Amino acid sequence: MKYLSLEDFVHEGEEMDSLYRLVNIASRRANQLNKPESRPLVKTKEQKSTIIALEEILQGKVWYT
């Protein structure tokens, strides 16, 4: 995976406000992806759930409210 900065994570014009929030969201989504009934929301070649979670956040499929 390429190097990404916090500013790369934008959803509907709203930037990610802190690295802590990004890590929290990614870890929760990665835990969901580790369950057998869960499927990724994006197409990817990656196998690691943490990388898949970050890609989902980067593409705007997963966000916080």
Side-chain angles (χ1 to χ4, degrees), residues 6-56:
L6 192 59
E7 290 80 27
D8 293 332
F9 293 90
V10 178
H11 180 259
E12 297 177 357
E14 181 182 357
E15 289 186 2
M16 186 67 64
D17 57 350
S18 71
L19 185 59
Y20 175 78
R21 187 181 307 271
L22 174 63
V23 170
N24 193 357
I25 295 168
S27 67
R28 288 177 186 223
R29 181 62 183 147
N31 285 334
Q32 290 175 351
L33 288 169
N34 284 330
K35 295 179 182 175
E37 65 271 5
S38 183
R39 300 284 180 247
L41 300 174
V42 296
K43 290 189 177 195
T44 182
K45 298 182 292 184
E46 296 294 333
Q47 298 296 319
K48 294 183 177 182
S49 60
T50 53
I51 303 299
I52 295 170
L54 286 172
E55 287 182 358
E56 288 178 347

